Short mmCIF file of all heavy atoms in Angstrom, two decimals:
data_model
loop_
_atom_site.label_atom_id
_atom_site.label_comp_id
_atom_site.label_asym_id
_atom_site.label_seq_id
_atom_site.Cartn_x
_atom_site.Cartn_y
_atom_site.Cartn_z
N ASN A 30 11.09 -60.50 -72.34
CA ASN A 30 11.21 -60.11 -70.94
C ASN A 30 11.30 -61.30 -69.99
O ASN A 30 11.14 -61.14 -68.78
CB ASN A 30 10.04 -59.21 -70.53
CG ASN A 30 8.71 -59.94 -70.67
OD1 ASN A 30 8.62 -61.00 -71.29
ND2 ASN A 30 7.67 -59.39 -70.09
N GLU A 31 11.53 -62.47 -70.53
CA GLU A 31 11.62 -63.66 -69.68
C GLU A 31 13.08 -64.01 -69.39
O GLU A 31 13.93 -63.99 -70.29
CB GLU A 31 10.92 -64.85 -70.34
CG GLU A 31 9.40 -64.69 -70.34
CD GLU A 31 8.70 -65.88 -70.94
OE1 GLU A 31 9.10 -66.34 -72.03
OE2 GLU A 31 7.73 -66.37 -70.30
N TYR A 32 13.32 -64.33 -68.14
CA TYR A 32 14.63 -64.72 -67.69
C TYR A 32 14.74 -66.25 -67.68
O TYR A 32 13.74 -66.96 -67.58
CB TYR A 32 14.90 -64.22 -66.27
CG TYR A 32 15.22 -62.74 -66.18
CD1 TYR A 32 14.26 -61.78 -66.49
CD2 TYR A 32 16.47 -62.31 -65.75
CE1 TYR A 32 14.56 -60.44 -66.39
CE2 TYR A 32 16.78 -60.97 -65.64
CZ TYR A 32 15.82 -60.04 -65.97
OH TYR A 32 16.12 -58.70 -65.86
N VAL A 33 15.97 -66.72 -67.70
CA VAL A 33 16.24 -68.15 -67.54
C VAL A 33 16.79 -68.37 -66.13
O VAL A 33 17.75 -67.72 -65.73
CB VAL A 33 17.27 -68.65 -68.57
CG1 VAL A 33 17.53 -70.15 -68.37
CG2 VAL A 33 16.79 -68.37 -70.00
N TYR A 34 16.15 -69.29 -65.41
CA TYR A 34 16.56 -69.61 -64.05
C TYR A 34 16.97 -71.08 -63.97
O TYR A 34 16.38 -71.93 -64.63
CB TYR A 34 15.41 -69.37 -63.06
CG TYR A 34 14.98 -67.94 -62.95
CD1 TYR A 34 14.12 -67.38 -63.89
CD2 TYR A 34 15.46 -67.14 -61.93
CE1 TYR A 34 13.74 -66.05 -63.80
CE2 TYR A 34 15.09 -65.81 -61.83
CZ TYR A 34 14.23 -65.28 -62.77
OH TYR A 34 13.87 -63.95 -62.68
N TRP A 35 17.93 -71.34 -63.11
CA TRP A 35 18.33 -72.71 -62.84
C TRP A 35 18.28 -72.97 -61.34
O TRP A 35 18.79 -72.19 -60.54
CB TRP A 35 19.74 -73.00 -63.36
CG TRP A 35 19.80 -73.17 -64.85
CD1 TRP A 35 19.92 -72.19 -65.79
CD2 TRP A 35 19.77 -74.40 -65.56
NE1 TRP A 35 19.94 -72.74 -67.04
CE2 TRP A 35 19.86 -74.10 -66.94
CE3 TRP A 35 19.69 -75.75 -65.19
CZ2 TRP A 35 19.87 -75.08 -67.94
CZ3 TRP A 35 19.69 -76.72 -66.16
CH2 TRP A 35 19.78 -76.39 -67.53
N TYR A 36 17.67 -74.10 -61.02
CA TYR A 36 17.65 -74.62 -59.67
C TYR A 36 18.14 -76.07 -59.73
O TYR A 36 18.11 -76.70 -60.78
CB TYR A 36 16.23 -74.63 -59.08
CG TYR A 36 15.75 -73.32 -58.53
CD1 TYR A 36 15.36 -72.29 -59.39
CD2 TYR A 36 15.65 -73.12 -57.16
CE1 TYR A 36 14.91 -71.09 -58.87
CE2 TYR A 36 15.20 -71.92 -56.64
CZ TYR A 36 14.83 -70.92 -57.50
OH TYR A 36 14.38 -69.73 -56.99
N ARG A 37 18.54 -76.58 -58.59
CA ARG A 37 18.85 -78.00 -58.51
C ARG A 37 18.26 -78.58 -57.23
O ARG A 37 18.04 -77.86 -56.25
CB ARG A 37 20.34 -78.27 -58.57
CG ARG A 37 21.12 -77.91 -57.30
CD ARG A 37 22.59 -78.25 -57.50
NE ARG A 37 23.38 -77.97 -56.30
CZ ARG A 37 24.69 -78.14 -56.25
NH1 ARG A 37 25.37 -78.56 -57.31
NH2 ARG A 37 25.34 -77.87 -55.13
N GLN A 38 18.03 -79.88 -57.26
CA GLN A 38 17.47 -80.57 -56.10
C GLN A 38 18.28 -81.82 -55.84
O GLN A 38 18.26 -82.77 -56.63
CB GLN A 38 16.00 -80.92 -56.33
CG GLN A 38 15.33 -81.51 -55.11
CD GLN A 38 13.84 -81.69 -55.32
OE1 GLN A 38 13.35 -81.79 -56.43
NE2 GLN A 38 13.09 -81.73 -54.22
N ILE A 39 19.01 -81.76 -54.76
CA ILE A 39 19.79 -82.91 -54.33
C ILE A 39 18.86 -83.84 -53.59
O ILE A 39 17.99 -83.40 -52.83
CB ILE A 39 20.98 -82.45 -53.45
CG1 ILE A 39 21.92 -81.58 -54.29
CG2 ILE A 39 21.72 -83.65 -52.87
CD1 ILE A 39 23.01 -80.89 -53.52
N HIS A 40 19.07 -85.12 -53.75
CA HIS A 40 18.18 -86.16 -53.28
C HIS A 40 17.41 -85.82 -51.99
O HIS A 40 17.98 -85.57 -50.96
CB HIS A 40 19.00 -87.43 -53.03
CG HIS A 40 18.17 -88.57 -52.51
ND1 HIS A 40 17.15 -89.12 -53.24
CD2 HIS A 40 18.21 -89.22 -51.33
CE1 HIS A 40 16.59 -90.09 -52.53
NE2 HIS A 40 17.22 -90.17 -51.38
N SER A 41 16.06 -85.75 -52.14
CA SER A 41 15.14 -85.58 -51.03
C SER A 41 15.20 -84.21 -50.36
O SER A 41 14.44 -83.95 -49.44
CB SER A 41 15.38 -86.64 -49.94
OG SER A 41 15.16 -87.91 -50.45
N GLN A 42 16.09 -83.33 -50.81
CA GLN A 42 16.14 -82.00 -50.22
C GLN A 42 15.27 -81.03 -51.01
O GLN A 42 14.81 -81.35 -52.10
CB GLN A 42 17.58 -81.48 -50.21
CG GLN A 42 18.55 -82.33 -49.41
CD GLN A 42 19.95 -81.78 -49.46
OE1 GLN A 42 20.18 -80.61 -49.79
NE2 GLN A 42 20.92 -82.61 -49.12
N GLY A 43 15.05 -79.85 -50.47
CA GLY A 43 14.34 -78.81 -51.21
C GLY A 43 15.23 -78.25 -52.31
O GLY A 43 16.45 -78.29 -52.21
N PRO A 44 14.63 -77.75 -53.38
CA PRO A 44 15.43 -77.16 -54.47
C PRO A 44 16.30 -76.02 -53.98
O PRO A 44 15.98 -75.34 -53.00
CB PRO A 44 14.36 -76.66 -55.45
CG PRO A 44 13.18 -77.53 -55.19
CD PRO A 44 13.21 -77.77 -53.71
N GLN A 45 17.39 -75.81 -54.71
CA GLN A 45 18.37 -74.78 -54.38
C GLN A 45 18.58 -73.91 -55.60
O GLN A 45 18.84 -74.40 -56.70
CB GLN A 45 19.68 -75.44 -53.95
CG GLN A 45 20.82 -74.48 -53.67
CD GLN A 45 22.14 -75.20 -53.48
OE1 GLN A 45 22.35 -76.30 -53.97
NE2 GLN A 45 23.05 -74.59 -52.75
N TYR A 46 18.47 -72.60 -55.42
CA TYR A 46 18.71 -71.65 -56.51
C TYR A 46 20.18 -71.72 -56.93
O TYR A 46 21.08 -71.81 -56.09
CB TYR A 46 18.38 -70.24 -56.05
CG TYR A 46 18.91 -69.15 -56.95
CD1 TYR A 46 18.20 -68.74 -58.07
CD2 TYR A 46 20.11 -68.52 -56.67
CE1 TYR A 46 18.68 -67.72 -58.89
CE2 TYR A 46 20.61 -67.52 -57.48
CZ TYR A 46 19.88 -67.12 -58.59
OH TYR A 46 20.36 -66.13 -59.40
N ILE A 47 20.42 -71.68 -58.25
CA ILE A 47 21.80 -71.69 -58.74
C ILE A 47 22.16 -70.36 -59.38
O ILE A 47 23.10 -69.68 -58.97
CB ILE A 47 22.03 -72.81 -59.79
CG1 ILE A 47 21.72 -74.19 -59.18
CG2 ILE A 47 23.47 -72.78 -60.30
CD1 ILE A 47 21.76 -75.31 -60.20
N ILE A 48 21.41 -69.95 -60.41
CA ILE A 48 21.79 -68.80 -61.20
C ILE A 48 20.63 -68.39 -62.08
O ILE A 48 19.71 -69.19 -62.32
CB ILE A 48 23.05 -69.14 -62.05
CG1 ILE A 48 23.76 -67.90 -62.55
CG2 ILE A 48 22.68 -70.06 -63.21
CD1 ILE A 48 25.16 -68.20 -63.11
N HIS A 49 20.64 -67.15 -62.56
CA HIS A 49 19.66 -66.74 -63.55
C HIS A 49 20.28 -65.69 -64.47
O HIS A 49 21.28 -65.06 -64.12
CB HIS A 49 18.37 -66.24 -62.90
CG HIS A 49 18.46 -64.86 -62.29
ND1 HIS A 49 18.98 -64.65 -61.04
CD2 HIS A 49 18.09 -63.66 -62.77
CE1 HIS A 49 18.91 -63.37 -60.76
NE2 HIS A 49 18.38 -62.73 -61.78
N GLY A 50 19.64 -65.50 -65.64
CA GLY A 50 20.12 -64.51 -66.58
C GLY A 50 19.08 -64.15 -67.62
O GLY A 50 18.10 -64.89 -67.82
N LEU A 51 19.29 -63.03 -68.27
CA LEU A 51 18.37 -62.55 -69.30
C LEU A 51 18.94 -62.81 -70.69
O LEU A 51 18.32 -63.47 -71.51
CB LEU A 51 18.09 -61.07 -69.12
CG LEU A 51 17.13 -60.44 -70.12
CD1 LEU A 51 15.74 -61.06 -70.01
CD2 LEU A 51 17.05 -58.91 -69.90
N LYS A 52 20.09 -62.24 -70.99
CA LYS A 52 20.67 -62.46 -72.31
C LYS A 52 22.20 -62.52 -72.28
O LYS A 52 22.82 -63.07 -73.17
CB LYS A 52 20.22 -61.40 -73.30
CG LYS A 52 20.50 -59.97 -72.87
CD LYS A 52 19.93 -59.01 -73.89
CE LYS A 52 20.19 -57.55 -73.46
NZ LYS A 52 19.62 -56.60 -74.46
N ASN A 53 22.78 -61.96 -71.27
CA ASN A 53 24.23 -62.02 -71.15
C ASN A 53 24.64 -63.26 -70.36
O ASN A 53 23.88 -63.79 -69.57
CB ASN A 53 24.75 -60.78 -70.44
CG ASN A 53 24.46 -59.51 -71.22
OD1 ASN A 53 24.61 -59.48 -72.43
ND2 ASN A 53 24.04 -58.48 -70.52
N ASN A 54 25.84 -63.71 -70.60
CA ASN A 54 26.34 -64.84 -69.83
C ASN A 54 26.54 -64.41 -68.38
O ASN A 54 26.91 -63.27 -68.09
CB ASN A 54 27.66 -65.36 -70.42
CG ASN A 54 27.47 -65.86 -71.84
OD1 ASN A 54 26.36 -66.20 -72.24
ND2 ASN A 54 28.55 -65.88 -72.60
N GLU A 55 26.27 -65.32 -67.48
CA GLU A 55 26.38 -65.03 -66.06
C GLU A 55 27.25 -66.08 -65.38
O GLU A 55 27.26 -67.25 -65.79
CB GLU A 55 25.01 -65.01 -65.39
CG GLU A 55 24.01 -64.03 -65.98
CD GLU A 55 24.32 -62.59 -65.62
OE1 GLU A 55 25.14 -62.35 -64.70
OE2 GLU A 55 23.75 -61.68 -66.27
N THR A 56 27.95 -65.65 -64.36
CA THR A 56 28.79 -66.58 -63.58
C THR A 56 28.69 -66.22 -62.11
O THR A 56 28.68 -65.04 -61.75
CB THR A 56 30.27 -66.50 -64.02
OG1 THR A 56 30.37 -66.93 -65.37
CG2 THR A 56 31.14 -67.41 -63.15
N ASN A 57 28.60 -67.23 -61.29
CA ASN A 57 28.70 -67.02 -59.84
C ASN A 57 29.56 -68.13 -59.26
O ASN A 57 30.20 -68.90 -60.00
CB ASN A 57 27.32 -66.92 -59.18
CG ASN A 57 26.50 -68.19 -59.30
OD1 ASN A 57 27.03 -69.27 -59.54
ND2 ASN A 57 25.20 -68.04 -59.15
N GLU A 58 29.55 -68.23 -57.95
CA GLU A 58 30.42 -69.21 -57.30
C GLU A 58 30.00 -70.65 -57.55
O GLU A 58 30.78 -71.57 -57.32
CB GLU A 58 30.47 -68.94 -55.79
CG GLU A 58 29.17 -69.17 -55.06
CD GLU A 58 28.21 -68.00 -55.17
OE1 GLU A 58 28.53 -67.03 -55.88
OE2 GLU A 58 27.14 -68.06 -54.54
N MET A 59 28.81 -70.84 -58.01
CA MET A 59 28.32 -72.20 -58.23
C MET A 59 28.46 -72.64 -59.68
O MET A 59 28.77 -73.82 -59.95
CB MET A 59 26.85 -72.32 -57.83
CG MET A 59 26.59 -72.22 -56.34
SD MET A 59 24.85 -72.47 -55.97
CE MET A 59 24.63 -74.18 -56.41
N ALA A 60 28.17 -71.75 -60.62
CA ALA A 60 28.06 -72.18 -62.00
C ALA A 60 28.16 -71.00 -62.95
O ALA A 60 28.18 -69.84 -62.54
CB ALA A 60 26.72 -72.90 -62.21
N SER A 61 28.17 -71.34 -64.25
CA SER A 61 28.07 -70.34 -65.30
C SER A 61 26.84 -70.64 -66.14
O SER A 61 26.48 -71.81 -66.33
CB SER A 61 29.31 -70.36 -66.21
OG SER A 61 30.45 -69.96 -65.48
N LEU A 62 26.23 -69.59 -66.64
CA LEU A 62 25.07 -69.71 -67.51
C LEU A 62 25.40 -69.06 -68.83
O LEU A 62 25.73 -67.88 -68.88
CB LEU A 62 23.85 -69.04 -66.86
CG LEU A 62 22.58 -68.97 -67.70
CD1 LEU A 62 22.10 -70.36 -68.08
CD2 LEU A 62 21.50 -68.20 -66.95
N ILE A 63 25.30 -69.87 -69.90
CA ILE A 63 25.55 -69.38 -71.25
C ILE A 63 24.23 -69.37 -71.99
O ILE A 63 23.60 -70.42 -72.14
CB ILE A 63 26.56 -70.27 -72.00
CG1 ILE A 63 27.83 -70.48 -71.16
CG2 ILE A 63 26.89 -69.66 -73.36
CD1 ILE A 63 28.58 -69.20 -70.86
N ILE A 64 23.80 -68.20 -72.45
CA ILE A 64 22.55 -68.06 -73.19
C ILE A 64 22.91 -67.71 -74.63
O ILE A 64 23.69 -66.79 -74.87
CB ILE A 64 21.66 -66.96 -72.57
CG1 ILE A 64 21.37 -67.30 -71.10
CG2 ILE A 64 20.35 -66.82 -73.35
CD1 ILE A 64 20.62 -66.20 -70.36
N THR A 65 22.34 -68.44 -75.59
CA THR A 65 22.64 -68.16 -76.99
C THR A 65 22.15 -66.78 -77.38
O THR A 65 21.26 -66.21 -76.74
CB THR A 65 22.01 -69.22 -77.90
OG1 THR A 65 20.59 -69.22 -77.68
CG2 THR A 65 22.57 -70.59 -77.61
N GLU A 66 22.72 -66.27 -78.47
CA GLU A 66 22.39 -64.91 -78.88
C GLU A 66 20.90 -64.75 -79.21
O GLU A 66 20.30 -63.72 -78.92
CB GLU A 66 23.23 -64.51 -80.10
CG GLU A 66 23.12 -63.04 -80.47
CD GLU A 66 24.17 -62.64 -81.50
OE1 GLU A 66 25.10 -63.43 -81.75
OE2 GLU A 66 24.05 -61.53 -82.04
N ASP A 67 20.29 -65.79 -79.78
CA ASP A 67 18.86 -65.72 -80.09
C ASP A 67 17.99 -66.07 -78.87
O ASP A 67 16.76 -66.05 -78.95
CB ASP A 67 18.50 -66.62 -81.27
CG ASP A 67 18.74 -68.09 -81.00
OD1 ASP A 67 19.05 -68.45 -79.84
OD2 ASP A 67 18.64 -68.90 -81.93
N ARG A 68 18.64 -66.42 -77.79
CA ARG A 68 17.99 -66.74 -76.50
C ARG A 68 17.10 -67.97 -76.55
O ARG A 68 16.31 -68.20 -75.65
CB ARG A 68 17.22 -65.54 -75.98
CG ARG A 68 18.03 -64.31 -75.79
CD ARG A 68 17.58 -63.38 -74.69
NE ARG A 68 16.14 -63.25 -74.58
CZ ARG A 68 15.47 -63.51 -73.46
NH1 ARG A 68 16.08 -63.91 -72.37
NH2 ARG A 68 14.15 -63.33 -73.44
N LYS A 69 17.21 -68.76 -77.56
CA LYS A 69 16.34 -69.92 -77.67
C LYS A 69 16.88 -71.13 -76.92
O LYS A 69 16.18 -72.15 -76.79
CB LYS A 69 16.11 -70.26 -79.14
CG LYS A 69 15.30 -69.20 -79.88
CD LYS A 69 14.99 -69.62 -81.29
CE LYS A 69 14.11 -68.56 -81.96
NZ LYS A 69 13.75 -68.93 -83.35
N SER A 70 18.08 -71.04 -76.44
CA SER A 70 18.61 -72.14 -75.63
C SER A 70 19.70 -71.61 -74.70
O SER A 70 20.20 -70.49 -74.89
CB SER A 70 19.19 -73.25 -76.52
OG SER A 70 20.31 -72.78 -77.23
N SER A 71 19.99 -72.42 -73.70
CA SER A 71 21.02 -72.02 -72.74
C SER A 71 21.72 -73.27 -72.22
O SER A 71 21.23 -74.40 -72.39
CB SER A 71 20.42 -71.23 -71.58
OG SER A 71 19.43 -71.98 -70.89
N THR A 72 22.86 -73.05 -71.59
CA THR A 72 23.63 -74.15 -71.02
C THR A 72 24.11 -73.76 -69.63
O THR A 72 24.68 -72.67 -69.46
CB THR A 72 24.85 -74.51 -71.88
OG1 THR A 72 24.41 -74.88 -73.18
CG2 THR A 72 25.63 -75.66 -71.26
N LEU A 73 23.85 -74.61 -68.68
CA LEU A 73 24.39 -74.42 -67.33
C LEU A 73 25.70 -75.21 -67.26
O LEU A 73 25.73 -76.39 -67.61
CB LEU A 73 23.42 -74.94 -66.28
CG LEU A 73 23.90 -74.82 -64.84
CD1 LEU A 73 23.83 -73.38 -64.37
CD2 LEU A 73 23.08 -75.72 -63.91
N ILE A 74 26.73 -74.56 -66.82
CA ILE A 74 28.04 -75.21 -66.75
C ILE A 74 28.51 -75.28 -65.30
O ILE A 74 28.61 -74.24 -64.62
CB ILE A 74 29.09 -74.46 -67.59
CG1 ILE A 74 28.64 -74.40 -69.05
CG2 ILE A 74 30.45 -75.14 -67.47
CD1 ILE A 74 29.53 -73.52 -69.91
N LEU A 75 28.76 -76.50 -64.84
CA LEU A 75 29.43 -76.72 -63.55
C LEU A 75 30.87 -77.01 -63.91
O LEU A 75 31.17 -78.08 -64.44
CB LEU A 75 28.79 -77.88 -62.80
CG LEU A 75 27.29 -77.84 -62.62
CD1 LEU A 75 26.80 -79.10 -61.89
CD2 LEU A 75 26.86 -76.61 -61.87
N PRO A 76 31.80 -76.12 -63.65
CA PRO A 76 33.15 -76.24 -64.23
C PRO A 76 33.94 -77.46 -63.77
O PRO A 76 34.70 -78.03 -64.55
CB PRO A 76 33.83 -74.94 -63.80
CG PRO A 76 33.03 -74.42 -62.66
CD PRO A 76 31.63 -74.89 -62.88
N HIS A 77 33.79 -77.85 -62.55
CA HIS A 77 34.53 -79.02 -62.04
C HIS A 77 33.56 -79.83 -61.18
O HIS A 77 33.50 -79.66 -59.97
CB HIS A 77 35.73 -78.58 -61.21
CG HIS A 77 36.68 -77.68 -61.94
ND1 HIS A 77 37.53 -78.12 -62.94
CD2 HIS A 77 36.89 -76.35 -61.84
CE1 HIS A 77 38.22 -77.11 -63.41
NE2 HIS A 77 37.86 -76.02 -62.77
N ALA A 78 32.81 -80.68 -61.83
CA ALA A 78 31.76 -81.42 -61.12
C ALA A 78 32.33 -82.33 -60.04
O ALA A 78 33.38 -82.97 -60.22
CB ALA A 78 30.94 -82.24 -62.11
N THR A 79 31.63 -82.39 -58.92
CA THR A 79 31.98 -83.31 -57.85
C THR A 79 30.80 -84.23 -57.58
O THR A 79 29.70 -84.00 -58.08
CB THR A 79 32.32 -82.56 -56.55
OG1 THR A 79 31.13 -82.00 -56.01
CG2 THR A 79 33.34 -81.46 -56.80
N LEU A 80 31.03 -85.25 -56.79
CA LEU A 80 29.95 -86.19 -56.49
C LEU A 80 28.77 -85.47 -55.84
O LEU A 80 27.62 -85.87 -56.01
CB LEU A 80 30.47 -87.30 -55.57
CG LEU A 80 31.55 -88.21 -56.16
CD1 LEU A 80 32.01 -89.23 -55.12
CD2 LEU A 80 31.07 -88.90 -57.42
N ARG A 81 29.05 -84.41 -55.11
CA ARG A 81 27.97 -83.67 -54.44
C ARG A 81 27.12 -82.87 -55.40
O ARG A 81 26.09 -82.31 -55.00
CB ARG A 81 28.57 -82.75 -53.37
CG ARG A 81 29.11 -83.49 -52.16
CD ARG A 81 29.65 -82.54 -51.13
NE ARG A 81 30.84 -81.83 -51.57
CZ ARG A 81 31.50 -80.95 -50.85
NH1 ARG A 81 31.08 -80.65 -49.64
NH2 ARG A 81 32.57 -80.35 -51.32
N ASP A 82 27.54 -82.78 -56.66
CA ASP A 82 26.71 -82.11 -57.67
C ASP A 82 25.67 -83.05 -58.28
O ASP A 82 24.87 -82.62 -59.12
CB ASP A 82 27.60 -81.54 -58.77
CG ASP A 82 28.46 -80.39 -58.27
OD1 ASP A 82 27.95 -79.57 -57.48
OD2 ASP A 82 29.64 -80.32 -58.67
N THR A 83 25.69 -84.30 -57.91
CA THR A 83 24.66 -85.23 -58.38
C THR A 83 23.30 -84.75 -57.87
O THR A 83 23.10 -84.60 -56.66
CB THR A 83 24.94 -86.65 -57.87
OG1 THR A 83 26.12 -87.15 -58.48
CG2 THR A 83 23.76 -87.58 -58.18
N ALA A 84 22.40 -84.47 -58.81
CA ALA A 84 21.12 -83.84 -58.45
C ALA A 84 20.24 -83.76 -59.69
O ALA A 84 20.67 -84.09 -60.79
CB ALA A 84 21.35 -82.43 -57.89
N VAL A 85 19.01 -83.32 -59.48
CA VAL A 85 18.13 -82.98 -60.59
C VAL A 85 18.23 -81.48 -60.81
O VAL A 85 18.09 -80.70 -59.85
CB VAL A 85 16.67 -83.38 -60.31
CG1 VAL A 85 15.77 -82.93 -61.45
CG2 VAL A 85 16.57 -84.89 -60.10
N TYR A 86 18.47 -81.07 -62.05
CA TYR A 86 18.65 -79.67 -62.39
C TYR A 86 17.45 -79.19 -63.20
O TYR A 86 17.08 -79.78 -64.20
CB TYR A 86 19.94 -79.49 -63.19
CG TYR A 86 21.17 -79.64 -62.32
CD1 TYR A 86 21.61 -80.90 -61.95
CD2 TYR A 86 21.85 -78.53 -61.84
CE1 TYR A 86 22.73 -81.06 -61.12
CE2 TYR A 86 22.96 -78.66 -61.02
CZ TYR A 86 23.38 -79.95 -60.66
OH TYR A 86 24.47 -80.09 -59.83
N TYR A 87 16.85 -78.10 -62.73
CA TYR A 87 15.67 -77.54 -63.35
C TYR A 87 15.99 -76.24 -64.08
O TYR A 87 16.59 -75.33 -63.49
CB TYR A 87 14.60 -77.24 -62.30
CG TYR A 87 14.12 -78.43 -61.52
CD1 TYR A 87 14.62 -78.70 -60.26
CD2 TYR A 87 13.14 -79.26 -62.02
CE1 TYR A 87 14.18 -79.78 -59.51
CE2 TYR A 87 12.67 -80.35 -61.29
CZ TYR A 87 13.21 -80.60 -60.04
OH TYR A 87 12.75 -81.67 -59.32
N CYS A 88 15.58 -76.16 -65.31
CA CYS A 88 15.67 -74.93 -66.10
C CYS A 88 14.27 -74.32 -66.17
O CYS A 88 13.32 -75.02 -66.54
CB CYS A 88 16.19 -75.26 -67.50
SG CYS A 88 16.13 -73.90 -68.68
N ILE A 89 14.14 -73.08 -65.79
CA ILE A 89 12.82 -72.43 -65.71
C ILE A 89 12.90 -71.09 -66.41
O ILE A 89 13.88 -70.37 -66.27
CB ILE A 89 12.42 -72.22 -64.24
CG1 ILE A 89 12.42 -73.55 -63.47
CG2 ILE A 89 11.06 -71.54 -64.14
CD1 ILE A 89 12.41 -73.38 -61.98
#
Side-chain angles (χ1 to χ4, degrees):
Chain A
N30 61 347
E31 289 182 312
Y32 284 66
V33 180
Y34 296 82
W35 284 85
Y36 279 75
R37 73 179 182 182
Q38 186 173 23
I39 297 171
H40 179 62
S41 298
Q42 299 179 18
Q45 176 189 25
Y46 166 85
I47 301 173
I48 198 167
H49 75 278
L51 180 63
K52 56 183 179 181
N53 297 318
N54 298 338
E55 302 287 345
T56 296
N57 63 20
E58 66 278 4
M59 291 183 67
S61 294
L62 174 61
I63 308 298
I64 303 174
T65 59
E66 189 169 349
D67 63 8
R68 302 210 321 124
K69 292 185 177 181
S70 65
S71 60
T72 301
L73 179 74
I74 301 172
L75 308 178
H77 304 288
T79 70
L80 296 178
R81 289 182 293 180
D82 292 320
T83 293
V85 176
Y86 287 78
Y87 300 98
C88 171
I89 303 164

